[in-house]
Amino acid sequence: MTTSARFDRGHTDDLMTFLAASPTPYHAVANAAERLEKAGFRQVQETDAWEGTTGGRYVVRGGALIAWYVPEGAEPHTPFRIVGAHTDSPNLRVKPLPDTGAYGWRQVAVEVYGGPLLNTWLDRDLGLAGRISLRDGTHRLVNVDRPLLRVPQLAVHLDRGVNADGLKLNPQRHMQPIWGLGEAEEGDLIRFVAEEAGVDAADVTGWDLMPHSVEPPAYLGRDRELVAGPRMDNQLSVHAGTAALAAVASAAESGTAPPYIPVLAAFDHEETGSQSDTGADGPLLGTVMERSVLARGGSYEDRARALAGTVCLSSDTGHAVHPNYAERHDPTHHPRVNGGPILKVNVNMRYSTDGGGRAVFAAACERAGVPWQTFVSNNSMPCGTTIGPITAARHGIKTVDIGAAIVSMHSARELCGADDPFLLANALASFLER
């Protein structure tokens, strides 16, 4: 049986469930961990001593998760096969002093995170979710998944040139959502959030909260061949990587052990440069790989040998050709939705793919029976980047940039092909197991 038989449209149904249940990186990590637990993985604490036994393990740190499976007979120098992704998405985030307002409106002070399309957050029903930190050092997830906030747009009558001249938004003045009427009262928002979480507001000493659209993901189009939903960049890859790792671990438990140690590395803070203790530019992945080698009785030499043979697929969403803006794309590279995952190339190393990496990815797709495409930026346009170059440079491992093709990237609601999520998962499973 080929890997392509493992996933079908049910995978996309499950992706939609995952997106709806993961309004923040913390929720995405919790939901990925739950799926791995069902596949037999067990959480290990970074502060504990690790054993070198076989089986699936994972580490959670904030909005990041590293999971790996040690097959029977793995040597200390066995290379890793890594699927890299990120859990965060551009959005709005609550400020340390959140209670504000004017002219009888109660508002929430927010800061812009990453590079969102700000206009897509206007006139949208928003919930509020994230993580609160308690006085005893523990954390509690909270999700107010109902209409609570709204960023109202100025009426066209008061901005007559908006359609001709374009919408101009000041992030400080125009993006503060309303959530009621009356005068702002210090501590009001956190008291509300604490009540929703079932804790005493006096015990809440910190928070990482963010609005999210409460409109659920949905199939779109005459033949339901598209999916619209939030945070596809890049929870689509987190979900696909989780499914692929669980499938490979299940096959190994049945006697088909991979010759590598398969890994899922889901980082936070990619949208702001990855420079944090949970970002790809931090030490988390390297520490996990090194401790895995040492736990299996390895040495520095074994670690060096393992990393020399390691390959990472950095899976992030990429740009499908936009029918209304085709001139913004390279004239000979037009990735299409439902055309399979894309190989992302940039000779200036904004993406980390080279010819050898292309061969690795092509082989994985061929084994899985998955079609694939190539993306390269128009020379007149600046190219984005991913965790790929960071991972390659920090750990000295071959890294290949890939992903699913979408449109409306960085919108509060993005659009992908309904077939592409499970095509991506098939390719990732093939990569991890061979």
Side-chain angles (χ1 to χ4, degrees):
M1 181 179 69
T2 64
T3 54
S4 59
R6 295 179 181 171
F7 308 109
D8 54 21
R9 188 58 67 85
H11 175 88
T12 304
D13 293 338
D14 189 63
L15 168 64
M16 294 164 68
T17 300
F18 185 88
L19 293 172
S22 304
T24 75
Y26 312 108
H27 290 82
V29 163
N31 289 318
E34 180 181 7
R35 283 162 166 75
L36 290 172
E37 287 275 349
K38 291 179 179 178
F41 285 70
R42 295 295 176 261
Q43 184 175 2
V44 293
Q45 302 297 328
E46 294 184 79
T47 53
D48 292 342
W50 290 4
E51 298 178 352
T53 54
T54 60
R57 303 289 185 271
Y58 69 91
V59 165
V60 170
R61 183 192 290 184
L65 176 146
I66 311 291
W68 66 101
Y69 182 86
V70 179
E72 189 74 36
E75 299 287 346
H77 59 268
T78 299
F80 300 90
R81 278 284 174 107
I82 304 167
V83 170
H86 67 88
T87 61
D88 61 319
S89 303
N91 61 4
L92 308 175
R93 304 213 171 181
V94 175
K95 287 185 175 181
L97 299 176
D99 299 293
T100 186
Y103 304 104
W105 295 99
R106 291 161 64 201
Q107 294 176 274
V108 176
V110 296
E111 189 173 5
V112 175
Y113 177 84
L117 288 168
L118 292 178
N119 65 293
T120 67
W121 288 84
L122 302 179
D123 296 330
R124 190 178 292 275
D125 295 338
L126 305 174
L128 187 67
R131 179 183 70 169
I132 55 176
S133 302
L134 305 180
R135 195 173 301 279
D136 62 3
T138 62
H139 306 283
R140 186 75 60 88
L141 295 183
V142 61
N143 183 9
V144 184
D145 195 30
R146 62 180 186 271
L148 178 70
L149 309 170
R150 186 179 179 92
V151 184
Q153 186 172 348
L154 185 64
V156 67
H157 313 77
L158 304 178
D159 189 7
R160 292 290 184 179
V162 63
N163 291 323
D165 302 330
L167 179 66
K168 297 179 176 60
L169 294 172
N170 182 299
Q172 178 63 36
R173 291 168 45 216
H174 300 146
M175 297 307 298
Q176 310 307 313
I178 60 173
W179 75 303
L181 300 174
E183 299 301 318
E185 182 179 344
E186 184 177 354
D188 198 19
L189 181 71
I190 300 307
R191 282 192 294 270
F192 168 79
V193 170
E195 182 178 354
E196 290 287 323
V199 300
D200 191 330
D203 291 331
V204 179
T205 55
W207 51 87
D208 301 280
L209 300 170
M210 53 204 79
H212 67 277
S213 171
V214 298
E215 184 181 3
Y219 286 106
L220 186 146
R222 184 193 66 180
D223 299 319
R224 292 163 55 89
E225 68 267 58
L226 302 169
V227 173
R231 299 176 296 279
M232 291 182 182
D233 179 12
N234 186 33
Q235 290 183 13
L236 189 158
S237 293
V238 174
H239 178 263
T242 302
L245 180 60
V248 171
S250 177
E253 294 290 334
S254 301
T256 311
Y260 309 100
I261 296 174
V263 179
L264 169 65
F267 299 104
D268 200 354
H269 301 130
E270 188 274 344
E271 298 292 355
T272 56
S274 296
Q275 292 188 321
S276 70
D277 68 315
T278 54
D281 204 19
L284 183 58
L285 175 60
T287 299
V288 167
M289 290 192 293
E290 183 172 18
R291 291 185 68 177
S292 177
V293 169
L294 296 177
R296 284 176 280 122
S299 62
Y300 177 85
E301 182 72 10
D302 291 314
R303 172 188 173 277
R305 293 174 65 188
L307 293 188
T310 292
V311 182
C312 173
L313 288 189
S314 166
S315 181
D316 204 344
T317 54
H319 301 293
V321 61
H322 195 301
N324 297 338
Y325 300 92
E327 74 281 359
R328 303 295 181 96
H329 299 265
D330 183 84
T332 59
H333 295 77
H334 286 164
R336 300 188 178 193
V337 297
N338 286 337
I342 56 175
L343 180 75
K344 296 154 70 168
V345 179
N346 179 264
V347 295
N348 295 303
M349 287 291 106
R350 299 290 287 173
Y351 303 131
S352 55
T353 305
D354 63 9
R358 175 191 173 100
V360 171
F361 179 63
C365 290
E366 182 178 348
R367 285 192 301 268
V370 169
W372 60 280
Q373 312 174 79
T374 304
F375 172 83
V376 65
S377 290
N378 186 309
N379 286 334
S380 301
M381 306 287 291
C383 180
T385 190
T386 69
I387 65 167
I390 293 171
T391 303
R394 181 167 185 82
H395 306 293
I397 58 179
K398 177 175 288 296
T399 305
V400 190
D401 272 295
I402 67 159
I406 71 171
V407 293
S408 303
M409 189 183 294
H410 286 200
S411 169
R413 194 169 177 84
E414 298 162 320
L415 187 69
C416 77
D419 294 337
D420 282 330
F422 65 80
L423 291 175
L424 175 63
N426 291 335
L428 296 182
S430 176
F431 165 74
L432 289 176
E433 73 181 355
R434 301 283 180 89

